[in-house]
Amino acid sequence: DHATSLTAMGVYALLPLAAWDAHFAVADTGLAFWTALALWLALRAYAEPTLDRFVIGGVAVGFAMGAKFNGALAGASFIAAAALVWWEGRAKPLIATRNLFAAGAVSLVAFSIASPFSIIHIGEMFEAFDLEWYEVRKGHYGFDMSADGWQYRRGLYQLAAMFPFSFGLAMWPAVLLGAGLLTWRGKPMQRAFAWSHLALYLWTISSWSLVPLRYYLPVLPILAVFGGYGLMAIWRSSRLPRAVAVGIPVLVFAYTAVYTAATVDR
């Protein structure tokens, strides 16, 4: 609903990780924009599964790839859209497959426009890709999982160290609450769009040894939606005293704003 959407926008605006990297011209910030746009366009393609909506979505995925190679994972949202409309009987399998392949073909064209020298010098591109793949698997300049400590385990590091630091100790529980509630209460469509890109991206990047915080920017929009959902669930709860139900979201936003302001210069 609108209230949850606006709350999610507020969550994203205050997220420390988003604020920190908005001060730098890193490719991941642009990638976060294109993946969020791709998710929105995939939702529109699901609502009205026409060829043109899938093609427009393919453009967003191509530009995401042009920002960074892992932008290709944004295509998972369109796979979810095509699978859902087929499963719900709103499109024949052949039509859903056609739309999906059209989106894929257009994404390659958009990628060549966004990053033309990747095509012009395709051999060098694959060499660079191989080097990057080696770096993310083995580690690079100390930004890796080689440090000592119980939290430095792939997957556990993200849940117990990286996200709590990047979101703040108040907002991260709200995100986890929203993820659980939306998965439990949500419709199949909501669960599919909430997790299709997110699960694939986190599974991929959590298998790497390289762990710069900015690599997680592309999943912040959907995590902000989880946060907004969790905070609105508290706000609307009839099981909590009204002062508590209102006070918790207010305190979460206030703490996050102070935490972001206090750390952004550092």
Side-chain angles (χ1 to χ4, degrees):
D1 56 39
H2 292 299
T4 302
S5 301
L6 290 171
T7 304
M9 290 170 62
V11 170
Y12 189 88
L14 286 180
L15 282 182
L17 182 57
W20 298 338
D21 282 289
H23 289 254
F24 302 96
V26 294
D28 309 82
T29 302
L31 177 57
F33 168 78
W34 290 114
T35 53
L37 180 62
L39 174 62
W40 179 68
L41 291 172
L43 284 164
R44 286 174 53 83
Y46 163 78
E48 189 176 329
T50 57
L51 179 61
D52 61 323
R53 291 201 170 189
F54 275 87
V55 167
I56 293 171
V59 174
V61 174
F63 285 161
M65 293 168 59
K68 208 166 186 180
F69 288 136
N70 53 25
L73 299 177
S77 298
F78 290 91
I79 296 174
L84 282 167
V85 297
W86 168 76
W87 180 63
E88 294 172 355
R90 296 193 294 118
K92 295 180 179 180
L94 186 60
I95 298 298
T97 304
R98 180 206 64 181
N99 291 348
L100 191 58
F101 272 92
V106 170
S107 72
L108 295 178
V109 175
F111 168 70
S112 68
I113 295 171
S115 184
F117 285 98
S118 295
I119 305 301
I120 295 170
H121 300 293
I122 193 167
E124 295 178 21
M125 181 197 72
F126 280 115
E127 290 178 6
F129 184 87
D130 287 341
L131 176 61
E132 289 290 329
W133 185 247
Y134 175 83
E135 295 282 355
V136 299
R137 301 288 292 183
K138 300 299 181 182
H140 182 72
Y141 290 128
F143 293 101
D144 55 47
M145 304 297 289
S146 62
D148 294 327
W150 61 267
Q151 72 273 32
Y152 288 100
R153 301 290 184 273
R154 295 176 185 180
L156 182 61
Y157 167 78
Q158 285 76 14
L159 288 173
M162 194 284 294
F163 280 129
F165 173 70
S166 303
F167 282 50
L169 293 178
M171 190 64 76
W172 179 233
V175 172
L176 292 178
L177 174 64
L181 289 176
L182 188 59
T183 303
W184 176 42
R185 298 176 179 175
K187 300 176 182 178
M189 180 275 288
Q190 292 172 319
R191 290 195 291 266
F193 280 106
W195 287 103
S196 55
H197 173 253
L198 175 63
L200 179 60
Y201 192 92
L202 289 181
W203 178 81
T204 300
I205 202 168
S206 295
S207 69
W208 297 350
S209 179
L210 193 64
V211 289
L213 298 183
R214 60 186 173 85
Y215 280 24
Y216 295 89
L217 283 170
V219 296
L220 290 195
I222 191 64
L223 292 175
V225 171
F226 288 160
Y229 193 89
L231 291 173
M232 286 304 300
I234 296 172
W235 183 279
R236 294 168 172 167
S237 176
S238 59
R239 298 181 179 181
L240 296 172
R242 191 58 192 156
V244 175
V246 172
I248 290 176
V250 170
L251 288 174
V252 168
F253 271 109
Y255 174 89
T256 305
V258 172
Y259 178 67
T260 300
T263 55
V264 72
D265 285 338
R266 186 185 65 178

Short mmCIF file of all heavy atoms in Angstrom, two decimals, residues 221-252:
data_model
loop_
_atom_site.label_atom_id
_atom_site.label_comp_id
_atom_site.label_asym_id
_atom_site.label_seq_id
_atom_site.Cartn_x
_atom_site.Cartn_y
_atom_site.Cartn_z
N PRO A 221 17.33 -1.48 -2.33
CA PRO A 221 15.93 -1.09 -2.54
C PRO A 221 14.94 -2.12 -2.02
O PRO A 221 13.97 -1.76 -1.34
CB PRO A 221 15.84 -0.92 -4.06
CG PRO A 221 17.23 -0.51 -4.47
CD PRO A 221 18.12 -1.32 -3.58
N ILE A 222 15.15 -3.41 -2.32
CA ILE A 222 14.19 -4.40 -1.85
C ILE A 222 14.31 -4.60 -0.35
O ILE A 222 13.31 -4.83 0.34
CB ILE A 222 14.35 -5.73 -2.62
CG1 ILE A 222 13.18 -6.66 -2.33
CG2 ILE A 222 15.67 -6.41 -2.26
CD1 ILE A 222 11.85 -6.15 -2.81
N LEU A 223 15.52 -4.47 0.20
CA LEU A 223 15.67 -4.56 1.65
C LEU A 223 14.99 -3.38 2.34
O LEU A 223 14.46 -3.51 3.45
CB LEU A 223 17.15 -4.63 2.03
CG LEU A 223 17.87 -5.93 1.62
CD1 LEU A 223 19.35 -5.83 1.94
CD2 LEU A 223 17.25 -7.13 2.31
N ALA A 224 14.99 -2.22 1.69
CA ALA A 224 14.27 -1.06 2.23
C ALA A 224 12.77 -1.32 2.24
O ALA A 224 12.06 -0.89 3.16
CB ALA A 224 14.59 0.19 1.42
N VAL A 225 12.27 -2.04 1.23
CA VAL A 225 10.86 -2.42 1.23
C VAL A 225 10.56 -3.33 2.42
O VAL A 225 9.53 -3.16 3.10
CB VAL A 225 10.49 -3.12 -0.09
CG1 VAL A 225 9.08 -3.71 -0.02
CG2 VAL A 225 10.59 -2.14 -1.25
N PHE A 226 11.45 -4.28 2.68
CA PHE A 226 11.28 -5.13 3.87
C PHE A 226 11.23 -4.27 5.13
O PHE A 226 10.40 -4.50 6.02
CB PHE A 226 12.42 -6.13 3.98
CG PHE A 226 12.39 -7.24 2.97
CD1 PHE A 226 13.54 -7.98 2.69
CD2 PHE A 226 11.23 -7.58 2.30
CE1 PHE A 226 13.52 -9.01 1.76
CE2 PHE A 226 11.20 -8.60 1.36
CZ PHE A 226 12.35 -9.32 1.11
N GLY A 227 12.16 -3.31 5.21
CA GLY A 227 12.19 -2.44 6.38
C GLY A 227 10.90 -1.66 6.54
O GLY A 227 10.36 -1.54 7.65
N GLY A 228 10.41 -1.10 5.44
CA GLY A 228 9.15 -0.37 5.48
C GLY A 228 7.99 -1.25 5.89
O GLY A 228 7.11 -0.84 6.66
N TYR A 229 7.98 -2.48 5.39
CA TYR A 229 6.91 -3.42 5.73
C TYR A 229 6.95 -3.77 7.21
O TYR A 229 5.92 -3.82 7.88
CB TYR A 229 7.06 -4.68 4.87
CG TYR A 229 5.86 -5.60 4.89
CD1 TYR A 229 4.82 -5.43 3.97
CD2 TYR A 229 5.76 -6.64 5.80
CE1 TYR A 229 3.72 -6.28 3.98
CE2 TYR A 229 4.67 -7.48 5.82
CZ TYR A 229 3.65 -7.30 4.90
OH TYR A 229 2.56 -8.14 4.92
N GLY A 230 8.16 -4.01 7.72
CA GLY A 230 8.31 -4.35 9.13
C GLY A 230 7.89 -3.21 10.05
O GLY A 230 7.19 -3.42 11.04
N LEU A 231 8.31 -1.99 9.71
CA LEU A 231 7.96 -0.84 10.56
C LEU A 231 6.46 -0.55 10.53
O LEU A 231 5.86 -0.21 11.55
CB LEU A 231 8.75 0.38 10.10
CG LEU A 231 10.25 0.33 10.38
CD1 LEU A 231 10.96 1.51 9.74
CD2 LEU A 231 10.53 0.30 11.89
N MET A 232 5.84 -0.70 9.35
CA MET A 232 4.39 -0.47 9.27
C MET A 232 3.61 -1.55 10.00
O MET A 232 2.53 -1.29 10.55
CB MET A 232 3.95 -0.39 7.82
CG MET A 232 4.34 0.91 7.12
SD MET A 232 3.74 2.39 7.98
CE MET A 232 1.97 2.12 7.96
N ALA A 233 4.17 -2.78 10.03
CA ALA A 233 3.50 -3.84 10.79
C ALA A 233 3.50 -3.52 12.27
O ALA A 233 2.51 -3.79 12.97
CB ALA A 233 4.22 -5.18 10.54
N ILE A 234 4.59 -2.94 12.76
CA ILE A 234 4.63 -2.52 14.17
C ILE A 234 3.66 -1.36 14.39
O ILE A 234 2.91 -1.35 15.37
CB ILE A 234 6.07 -2.12 14.55
CG1 ILE A 234 7.01 -3.33 14.47
CG2 ILE A 234 6.11 -1.52 15.95
CD1 ILE A 234 8.47 -2.98 14.64
N TRP A 235 3.68 -0.39 13.50
CA TRP A 235 2.83 0.80 13.63
C TRP A 235 1.35 0.41 13.69
O TRP A 235 0.58 0.99 14.46
CB TRP A 235 3.07 1.70 12.43
CG TRP A 235 2.32 3.00 12.44
CD1 TRP A 235 1.02 3.20 12.08
CD2 TRP A 235 2.83 4.29 12.84
NE1 TRP A 235 0.68 4.52 12.20
CE2 TRP A 235 1.78 5.22 12.66
CE3 TRP A 235 4.06 4.74 13.29
CZ2 TRP A 235 1.93 6.56 12.94
CZ3 TRP A 235 4.20 6.09 13.56
CH2 TRP A 235 3.15 6.99 13.40
N ARG A 236 0.95 -0.59 12.92
CA ARG A 236 -0.45 -0.98 12.83
C ARG A 236 -0.83 -2.10 13.80
O ARG A 236 -1.99 -2.55 13.80
CB ARG A 236 -0.75 -1.44 11.40
CG ARG A 236 -0.65 -0.33 10.37
CD ARG A 236 -0.66 -0.90 8.98
NE ARG A 236 -0.76 0.15 7.96
CZ ARG A 236 -0.54 -0.04 6.66
NH1 ARG A 236 -0.18 -1.24 6.23
NH2 ARG A 236 -0.65 0.95 5.82
N SER A 237 0.12 -2.56 14.58
CA SER A 237 -0.14 -3.70 15.46
C SER A 237 -1.20 -3.36 16.51
O SER A 237 -1.12 -2.33 17.19
CB SER A 237 1.15 -4.14 16.15
OG SER A 237 0.89 -5.17 17.06
N SER A 238 -2.17 -4.25 16.66
CA SER A 238 -3.19 -4.09 17.69
C SER A 238 -2.80 -4.79 18.99
O SER A 238 -3.49 -4.65 20.01
CB SER A 238 -4.53 -4.65 17.19
OG SER A 238 -4.40 -6.03 16.86
N ARG A 239 -1.71 -5.55 18.95
CA ARG A 239 -1.26 -6.28 20.13
C ARG A 239 -0.35 -5.44 21.03
O ARG A 239 -0.12 -5.80 22.17
CB ARG A 239 -0.53 -7.55 19.70
CG ARG A 239 -1.39 -8.52 18.92
CD ARG A 239 -0.61 -9.77 18.55
NE ARG A 239 -1.44 -10.71 17.82
CZ ARG A 239 -1.02 -11.90 17.38
NH1 ARG A 239 0.24 -12.28 17.62
NH2 ARG A 239 -1.84 -12.70 16.72
N LEU A 240 0.15 -4.35 20.49
CA LEU A 240 1.04 -3.50 21.26
C LEU A 240 0.29 -2.27 21.75
O LEU A 240 -0.63 -1.78 21.08
CB LEU A 240 2.23 -3.05 20.39
CG LEU A 240 3.19 -4.13 19.90
CD1 LEU A 240 4.19 -3.53 18.90
CD2 LEU A 240 3.93 -4.77 21.07
N PRO A 241 0.66 -1.73 22.91
CA PRO A 241 0.09 -0.43 23.32
C PRO A 241 0.37 0.61 22.24
O PRO A 241 1.43 0.59 21.61
CB PRO A 241 0.84 -0.13 24.62
CG PRO A 241 1.29 -1.45 25.13
CD PRO A 241 1.58 -2.28 23.92
N ARG A 242 -0.57 1.52 22.05
CA ARG A 242 -0.45 2.47 20.95
C ARG A 242 0.84 3.29 21.04
O ARG A 242 1.50 3.54 20.02
CB ARG A 242 -1.65 3.41 20.93
CG ARG A 242 -1.74 4.25 19.67
CD ARG A 242 -1.81 3.36 18.45
NE ARG A 242 -1.61 4.11 17.21
CZ ARG A 242 -1.18 3.55 16.08
NH1 ARG A 242 -0.87 2.26 16.06
NH2 ARG A 242 -1.05 4.26 15.01
N ALA A 243 1.23 3.67 22.25
CA ALA A 243 2.45 4.45 22.41
C ALA A 243 3.67 3.66 21.97
O ALA A 243 4.61 4.20 21.37
CB ALA A 243 2.59 4.89 23.86
N VAL A 244 3.67 2.35 22.24
CA VAL A 244 4.79 1.49 21.84
C VAL A 244 4.80 1.30 20.33
O VAL A 244 5.84 1.37 19.68
CB VAL A 244 4.72 0.14 22.57
CG1 VAL A 244 5.82 -0.80 22.08
CG2 VAL A 244 4.82 0.34 24.07
N ALA A 245 3.62 1.04 19.75
CA ALA A 245 3.51 0.81 18.32
C ALA A 245 3.97 2.02 17.51
O ALA A 245 4.55 1.88 16.43
CB ALA A 245 2.08 0.44 17.95
N VAL A 246 3.69 3.21 18.02
CA VAL A 246 4.12 4.43 17.35
C VAL A 246 5.57 4.74 17.68
O VAL A 246 6.36 5.16 16.83
CB VAL A 246 3.21 5.61 17.74
CG1 VAL A 246 3.76 6.93 17.19
CG2 VAL A 246 1.80 5.37 17.22
N GLY A 247 5.94 4.53 18.92
CA GLY A 247 7.26 4.93 19.38
C GLY A 247 8.39 4.13 18.75
O GLY A 247 9.46 4.69 18.46
N ILE A 248 8.20 2.83 18.52
CA ILE A 248 9.28 2.01 17.97
C ILE A 248 9.70 2.50 16.58
O ILE A 248 10.89 2.75 16.35
CB ILE A 248 8.89 0.52 17.95
CG1 ILE A 248 8.84 -0.03 19.38
CG2 ILE A 248 9.89 -0.28 17.12
CD1 ILE A 248 8.36 -1.47 19.47
N PRO A 249 8.79 2.67 15.61
CA PRO A 249 9.22 3.18 14.31
C PRO A 249 9.87 4.56 14.39
O PRO A 249 10.84 4.83 13.68
CB PRO A 249 7.93 3.22 13.49
CG PRO A 249 7.04 2.21 14.13
CD PRO A 249 7.36 2.30 15.60
N VAL A 250 9.32 5.43 15.26
CA VAL A 250 9.90 6.77 15.40
C VAL A 250 11.33 6.67 15.90
O VAL A 250 12.25 7.34 15.40
CB VAL A 250 9.04 7.64 16.32
CG1 VAL A 250 9.76 8.95 16.66
CG2 VAL A 250 7.69 7.92 15.68
N LEU A 251 11.56 5.84 16.90
CA LEU A 251 12.90 5.68 17.45
C LEU A 251 13.85 5.04 16.44
O LEU A 251 15.03 5.41 16.38
CB LEU A 251 12.84 4.84 18.73
CG LEU A 251 12.23 5.53 19.95
CD1 LEU A 251 12.10 4.53 21.11
CD2 LEU A 251 13.09 6.73 20.37
N VAL A 252 13.35 4.10 15.66
CA VAL A 252 14.20 3.46 14.63
C VAL A 252 14.65 4.50 13.61
O VAL A 252 15.84 4.56 13.26
CB VAL A 252 13.43 2.31 13.94
CG1 VAL A 252 14.18 1.84 12.69
CG2 VAL A 252 13.24 1.15 14.90
#
